[in-house]
Amino acid sequence: MRDTGRIYLDHAATTPVLPEVARAMHEALLEGFGNPSSVHREGRRARAAVERARRQAAALIGADPEEIIFTGGGTEADNLAIQGAAREAGAGAHIVTTAVEHHAVLDACEALESEGYRVTVVPVDGDGRVDPDDVLAALTPDTVLVSVMLANNEVGTIQPVAEIARRARERGVLVHTDAVQAVGQIPVDVNELGIDLLSFSSHKIYGPKGVGALYVRRGVRGRLKPLVYGGGQERRLRPGTENVPGIVGFGAACEIAARDLAARAGQERRWRDRLIQGLLEAIPGALLNGPAPGQDGAAAAGGVPGLDGRLSNNVNVSIPDVAVDVLLAQLDLEGVAASSGSACTAGSVRPSHVLRAMGRDLDAATHVLRLTVGRSNDDEQIEQALEIIPRAVARLRRAGRFTVQRG
Ligand code: PLP
């Protein structure tokens, strides 16, 4: 049972599984238990369920089903793209990425670097946006892959991936985008983006955890080396008996995401803008991180019409003179689930590498509150949050609780 009276504002960390998704998984667990590789009826039934999910996942991003490789989540999809491309190209291969990527990308690059591969990390501007010219300038004759995220998980910045892809692919370089935060939130079409590889994840779109996919454009599979070896599943790129219930749940979540995307984005954008405006007005010294709502229009969103340069569900503010770990604990007690940025660095309150890359000082990069709205919310909750959060900040400031333990 879900807690009643809670205000869940952490949809970028994970989303609650939708009842329709859970029902599909329940059926797959109990009835569709066969091994999809088996030739008997039980096996064929499980195979049919996996292939249906593949069609649902492909449809959400405008791909062909055979271009979808199911993985154990977004992190694995990122690693398969990055390590897979570098290792297939071999020693001396060069990768270009940006300073604001998720750790799944940055740490994979770092691991490759420690083995002798070369990596260039391109800087971003004050809104967290990378300049396509800088990415292009970083290419060398040895570059095998460019990896630029579609939307940032901390500040919601949407990157000009389509332009980067068009120009980099003219040079024969593979282009990967981590679209874990973007898929299900903004329209994503692999052909409009023109990328070769795209990662997305089930638990960010109201599906189960531990399942995701890498889109691999037709003709690109041979340029990737698998991370693990075994049977022939997932076109040998991700062998191992399929996580059938997880994949079925992911497929159902993809279908629902495609169906509801336009209606949800408009509503969430209103909540986002209301929260940003309300927090900046009510909290002295609060500073918005990432692109201002409405700024730049479709151009900033990689040409996606009707969007500004910021994810429709993302609010990120620096709140000086407040220890965020104490604030988050206080908000939790008062029924508000919020975050200081990415879930992985939360808990230790390390300054955000994203905000540092955007030129924020150590203080602003450490005192961060991220709120991400979603299906769990309603108008009333947004107004309640706007009462609870500024009140908690004022109380903590009065008590002088602003020393932060930097991890
Ligand atoms: N990439 C981005 C941008 C993310 O936000 C996340 C999760 O927070 C991941 C990758 C990792 O995805 P997963 O949790 O499915 O491994």
Side-chain angles (χ1 to χ4, degrees):
M1 285 289 278
R2 207 161 294 157
D3 284 354
T4 50
R6 296 281 298 172
I7 304 176
Y8 184 75
L9 292 173
D10 202 10
H11 291 82
T14 197
T15 52
V17 173
L18 288 174
E20 273 170 273
V21 169
R23 277 194 290 276
M25 292 179 72
H26 188 249
E27 192 187 318
L29 266 172
L30 297 183
E31 322 281 334
F33 68 91
N35 185 324
S37 299
S38 301
V39 294
H40 46 60
R41 184 183 299 178
E42 287 79 359
R44 291 198 310 275
R45 181 172 178 168
R47 167 61 53 207
V50 167
E51 295 315 314
R52 175 163 189 251
R54 201 184 304 282
R55 290 193 296 276
Q56 290 166 316
L60 178 60
I61 58 168
D64 285 338
E66 57 268 34
E67 295 173 313
I68 298 293
I69 302 293
F70 288 119
T71 66
T75 300
E76 191 190 318
D78 284 343
N79 274 269
L80 178 56
I82 291 161
Q83 294 199 52
R87 294 189 194 289
E88 181 60 29
H94 175 235
I95 291 178
V96 176
T97 190
T98 82
V100 293
E101 300 296 312
H102 190 270
H103 281 293
V105 168
L106 287 178
D107 291 14
C109 287
E110 214 176 288
L112 287 170
E113 219 171 5
S114 73
E115 294 174 32
Y117 292 91
R118 290 189 311 108
V119 176
T120 301
V121 178
V122 177
V124 295
D125 68 14
D127 280 345
R129 195 172 301 124
V130 69
D131 184 335
D133 287 344
D134 292 343
V135 175
L136 269 289
L139 299 185
T140 74
D142 295 327
T143 310
V144 292
L145 182 82
V146 166
S147 182
V148 177
M149 71 199 320
L150 189 50
N152 184 267
N153 48 302
E154 294 189 31
V155 293
T157 308
I158 299 174
Q159 300 290 0
V161 170
E163 181 182 344
I164 291 167
R166 185 174 47 75
R167 294 170 59 189
R169 285 176 79 219
E170 280 170 8
R171 310 257 300 256
V173 175
L174 290 175
V175 178
H176 166 248
T177 190
D178 174 342
V180 167
Q181 293 291 339
V183 166
Q185 207 62 42
I186 61 173
V188 172
D189 183 295
V190 291
N191 293 314
E192 278 170 24
L193 287 172
I195 40 72
D196 299 289
L197 300 157
L198 177 146
S199 307
F200 58 127
S201 177
S202 159
H203 76 105
K204 309 291 186 178
I205 60 166
Y206 305 88
K209 292 166 184 57
V211 56
L214 181 66
Y215 157 81
V216 181
R217 185 176 289 280
R218 192 175 283 114
V220 169
R221 184 159 52 98
R223 292 172 73 180
L224 298 183
K225 199 167 187 165
L227 299 175
V228 292
Y229 294 90
Q233 294 94 343
E234 298 304 300
R235 302 175 172 259
R236 297 200 173 273
L237 268 184
R238 209 286 189 171
T241 303
E242 296 88 341
N243 169 10
V244 180
I247 288 171
V248 165
F250 180 29
C254 286
E255 188 170 316
I256 296 166
R259 184 190 71 199
D260 295 352
L261 190 130
R264 275 187 43 230
Q267 181 174 61
E268 291 179 10
R269 196 172 154 170
R270 273 196 298 109
W271 291 335
R272 175 197 74 177
D273 294 352
R274 173 77 187 113
L275 283 170
I276 290 175
Q277 175 224 352
L279 292 176
L280 294 182
E281 270 173 24
I283 302 176
L287 185 74
L288 178 69
N289 296 312
Q295 188 198 52
D296 283 350
V304 182
L307 285 177
D308 56 19
R310 184 180 194 107
L311 275 184
S312 46
N313 68 346
N314 176 286
V315 176
N316 185 306
V317 285
S318 290
I319 305 181
D321 302 338
V322 167
V324 268
D325 48 354
V326 182
L327 175 63
L328 292 176
Q330 184 62 41
L331 293 178
D332 191 29
L333 282 175
E334 295 192 41
V336 177
S339 161
S340 64
S342 67
C344 321
T345 46
S348 61
V349 198
R350 267 180 286 163
S352 150
H353 72 280
V354 173
L355 294 186
R356 292 298 276 158
M358 289 162 57
R360 292 280 190 253
D361 63 25
L362 200 56
D363 232 35
T366 311
H367 299 86
V368 177
L369 180 70
R370 181 189 71 179
L371 308 174
T372 43
V373 299
R375 282 181 188 267
S376 326
N377 303 129
D378 59 32
D379 289 344
E380 200 185 322
Q381 290 186 345
I382 302 302
E383 294 310 317
Q384 281 172 353
L386 279 174
E387 283 170 26
I388 294 168
I389 298 168
R391 199 171 58 211
V393 170
R395 203 179 319 120
L396 292 177
R397 279 179 171 169
R398 271 200 307 277
R401 299 291 303 276
F402 53 78
T403 40
V404 175
Q405 307 280 312
R406 288 205 179 97

